[in-house]
Amino acid sequence: MITGLSASYRIDYAVIFAVAGLAIHYSLPRRRNPSLRDVPGPPSPSWTFGNMLQLLLPLHYGDYEFAWQKKFGPVYLIKGCFGEDRLMISDLQALQYIFNSPHFGRGPAPENAMNLLLDKNAVVAVKGETHKRFRAALNIGFTPSAVRNYQPIFERVAEKIAEQLDKCSETQALTDIFPIMSPATLSAISEAALGLSSRDLGETFVANNEHIIWLSSHQSSTQIVLAAIASRLPRIVREAAMHLPTATFKVLRTVKSLAHQIGRRVIAEKLAAAQQGVNIRTDVFGMLLDPEQSDLKKKNVLTEDELVAQTGILMIAGQDTVTNTLVFGCLELARHPEFQHQLRAEIHSSLRGPYSASAYESMPLLNAFIKETLRFYPPEAIQELVTVKDTVIPLTDGIKNAKGELMNHIPVQKGQVVLAAIASYQRLQSRWGEDAHQFRPSRWVDGTIVQGQAVGPYANLLSFLGGPRVCLGWRFAILEMQVFFSKLVGEFSFALSEEDCLRTRYGNMLVPITPSGEKAAPLYITRI
């Protein structure tokens, strides 16, 4: 959930006035890349906002973005705030190059958000050889065998969700499932990563964490322009802003501090338990702190301070992304009652007796449904990147420029902002079929999908990104969703109100909203 947070924190008007002078200077358009002059794209309706309101705040997410892709192809030029050129890319070969090339780094907005919320030694923040070492160390807790060990945790949490849904079904009223799913995914990641229940995290951490999630799901035109201004300010100014006495920055500071405290407490308790001969290899931190592991692979062992620095990113990345996917999945089941019935029949016939990870893997409809939900609602619909040196982006089939000439590659200069249009890539008809804009899980079992070159770690999707910075926890998330959906669909039915008036909004991730603009997913829930 890192990318969009900087567009979600609120800044007091006093802060706006304080940076006004700097903003005027840094908001001037940067020198245009001559090679982009002939790249087609939509006209900009505003110098202040460029195309960003159309991209980020349409009535339904994708209203403009998917239309632009249809008209201009998988590569086109849009305007950011203050006349900035931004390349929008959903081309397969281009995305492969971007995610695997060392010539691209995080864009200004996600970089700001990361500095605000996470420790400087979080795995997503470090670079180069340090990043490789951190990933090698952390991967111990996310291998296929390690993830299988977390299955009992997921099943216990799923039982708790079922207990809450039972109470909701008794009322026979519409129930917003967000307040049920969000604490459940927090509990799952807390137990699997740290060995702590969500209660052990403390009320203050949980409350502030929920506030950050709320902030990250809301976005306005004011926040978009403020984020653009903030991204152009000197780093020393941005870092100083973290210490301002505003309510939002206080929440960010509190979560960061409490994550450190929790991490240190967990490490101390596990090291003490290990000295007494207790098996601590039951969660991610335990595996990383295991004395035998430390002796076997010392070069990939994190120091205690480095491990503490991972606490925040594990908790944040492991909660909100899975929550939103679960919620969208339940909404689509409610919209497709016939498929919901078919999936329930598969679950009932497949899961008898003790469950194993292989049992979940052997259900074609369940896994097709998860893949389709991730395709249709990628957690990170757009990733903002920036070139760190001049480079040339290759294209799959090329595009026609404004002169009608074929461009097979696009030279870009250092400092160019590139938007990896993940949601658009996952709607490409050439990849997913003529009905790519429809939610249809059967495409994954009927041969509709064109396999082609592989991107991403799962089902040729970029929902978990790709390349050296692919999501470490993708296997964790898939098994968690397999367990949760199997339990929920197997025991409950989900239905919408007569008027399905929910829309999809882009905050930092895609979220469903009501006509009044509130993040919510009200459903009728019935015990089977």
Side-chain angles (χ1 to χ4, degrees):
M1 59 174 280
I2 301 301
T3 302
L5 184 61
S6 59
S8 299
Y9 55 78
R10 293 174 292 180
I11 303 179
D12 290 350
Y13 282 111
V15 180
I16 298 174
F17 289 126
V19 302
L22 285 170
I24 292 172
H25 172 72
Y26 285 97
S27 294
L28 293 175
R30 293 170 177 142
R31 181 168 58 93
R32 186 172 190 183
N33 183 350
S35 62
L36 302 183
R37 185 179 299 113
D38 295 323
V39 175
S44 171
S46 162
W47 178 82
T48 302
F49 293 103
N51 298 108
M52 300 310 290
L53 298 185
Q54 296 169 306
L55 178 65
L56 302 178
L57 295 180
L59 182 61
H60 295 274
Y61 178 76
D63 281 351
Y64 290 92
E65 179 183 340
F66 301 148
W68 290 337
Q69 182 188 55
K70 183 177 181 180
K71 180 175 182 179
F72 302 110
V75 179
Y76 54 90
L77 195 67
I78 65 171
K79 289 291 185 180
C81 293
F82 314 121
E84 178 188 50
D85 286 333
R86 294 187 159 207
L87 269 176
M88 194 81 171
I89 297 180
S90 57
D91 178 89
L92 172 59
Q93 189 172 347
L95 290 173
Q96 283 182 314
Y97 177 75
I98 289 167
F99 282 119
N100 287 280
S101 171
H103 302 331
F104 295 84
R106 281 181 300 274
E111 186 75 17
N112 289 344
M114 199 168 296
N115 292 335
L116 284 170
L117 187 59
L118 299 178
D119 189 285
K120 65 180 180 181
N121 279 325
V123 64
V124 295
V126 294
K127 301 174 182 178
E129 292 302 315
T130 302
H131 177 254
K132 292 180 182 178
R133 179 171 66 85
F134 279 23
R135 283 188 65 92
L138 290 168
N139 189 57
I140 295 166
F142 295 99
T143 62
S145 60
V147 168
R148 285 194 292 271
N149 291 333
Y150 310 140
Q151 183 177 322
I153 295 173
F154 299 152
E155 290 171 346
R156 288 198 300 271
V157 175
E159 286 286 351
K160 294 177 182 178
I161 298 175
E163 291 173 5
Q164 290 182 276
L165 293 183
D166 255 331
K167 296 177 182 178
C168 297
S169 66
E170 293 172 0
T171 67
Q172 297 183 343
L174 281 171
T175 300
D176 180 11
I177 61 174
F178 264 115
I180 297 173
M181 296 299 185
S182 187
T185 55
L186 177 62
S187 180
I189 188 62
S190 178
E191 290 188 45
L194 307 176
L196 298 178
S197 68
S198 52
R199 181 178 299 178
D200 294 330
L201 297 175
E203 293 182 3
T204 304
F205 177 87
V206 172
N208 282 277
N209 188 62
E210 282 297 318
H211 187 59
I212 287 177
I213 289 174
W214 182 86
L215 285 172
S216 69
S217 65
H218 290 73
Q219 192 161 213
S220 68
S221 58
T222 300
Q223 291 162 343
I224 289 171
V225 77
L226 288 177
I229 292 172
S231 69
R232 293 172 177 236
L233 296 176
R235 182 168 183 169
I236 189 172
V237 175
R238 299 197 303 268
E239 291 177 349
M242 185 63 179
H243 302 286
L244 291 167
T246 66
T248 300
F249 286 128
K250 183 179 179 180
V251 169
L252 295 172
R253 290 193 298 269
T254 299
V255 169
K256 202 171 184 177
S257 174
L258 288 176
H260 270 245
Q261 294 175 31
I262 292 168
R264 292 202 180 280
R265 172 163 58 92
V266 169
I267 289 173
E269 291 173 353
K270 290 190 180 299
L271 291 177
Q275 289 179 350
Q276 297 175 6
V278 176
N279 176 26
I280 62 172
R281 292 179 59 84
T282 56
D283 51 65
V284 176
F285 267 42
M287 292 181 187
L288 295 176
L289 291 167
D290 180 56
E292 294 183 9
Q293 178 63 39
S294 299
D295 292 337
L296 289 172
K297 297 184 179 180
K298 290 184 178 179
K299 68 177 182 178
N300 289 334
V301 173
L302 300 180
T303 67
E304 289 187 22
D305 286 345
E306 290 170 343
L307 184 52
V308 166
Q310 313 313 315
T311 309
I313 183 59
L314 285 172
M315 301 304 292
I316 292 170
Q319 181 187 7
D320 209 22
T321 52
V322 177
T323 297
N324 289 334
T325 305
L326 290 170
V327 169
F328 274 123
C330 290
L331 286 175
E332 289 298 337
L333 287 171
R335 288 170 177 152
H336 299 85
E338 183 177 347
F339 176 80
Q340 181 180 171
H341 178 74
Q342 293 170 351
L343 176 56
R344 184 173 298 112
E346 179 185 76
I347 291 169
H348 287 167
S349 65
S350 300
L351 297 184
R352 295 174 179 173
Y355 303 162
S356 65
S358 60
Y360 294 112
E361 287 293 335
S362 66
M363 290 189 280
L365 289 184
L366 173 65
N367 290 288
F369 168 63
I370 291 172
K371 291 172 184 175
E372 186 72 348
T373 305
L374 287 168
R375 181 188 75 86
F376 218 69
Y377 302 105
E380 193 169 353
I382 302 170
Q383 187 178 57
E384 181 184 297
L385 301 154
V386 65
T387 51
V388 296
K389 65 179 297 184
D390 293 357
T391 188
V392 177
I393 301 175
L395 304 178
T396 304
D397 298 314
I399 60 168
K400 285 189 176 181
N401 63 19
K403 299 177 180 178
E405 300 167 338
L406 185 66
M407 298 178 67
N408 293 312
H409 59 270
I410 299 179
V412 290
Q413 296 177 347
K414 177 180 178 180
Q416 175 63 51
V417 173
V418 173
L419 301 179
I422 294 170
S424 288
Y425 160 72
Q426 295 182 179
R427 300 292 185 97
L428 284 174
Q429 293 182 343
S430 59
R431 185 85 177 192
W432 313 104
E434 292 298 318
D435 59 353
H437 289 283
Q438 296 178 22
F439 186 91
R440 186 173 67 84
S442 59
R443 77 179 70 250
W444 296 93
V445 293
D446 65 9
T448 303
I449 295 170
V450 177
Q451 294 301 318
Q453 294 175 305
V455 295
Y458 181 70
N460 277 339
L461 297 170
L462 282 171
S463 300
F464 298 107
L465 305 183
R469 291 188 177 272
V470 67
C471 175
L472 270 170
W474 71 269
R475 293 186 184 90
F476 182 105
I478 294 300
L479 181 58
E480 184 178 4
M481 287 187 280
Q482 288 171 332
V483 171
F484 283 11
F485 279 130
S486 294
K487 180 69 174 179
L488 302 184
V489 180
E491 298 186 10
F492 301 91
S493 69
F494 301 92
L496 288 160
S497 61
E498 291 185 6
E499 295 183 2
D500 179 5
C501 52
L502 296 178
R503 299 184 281 118
T504 301
R505 176 178 66 196
Y506 182 76
N508 115 72
M509 288 187 290
L510 299 181
V511 294
I513 61 170
T514 63
S516 63
E518 291 302 309
K519 171 184 169 181
L523 293 172
Y524 289 111
I525 300 166
T526 306
R527 162 64 80 170
I528 299 299

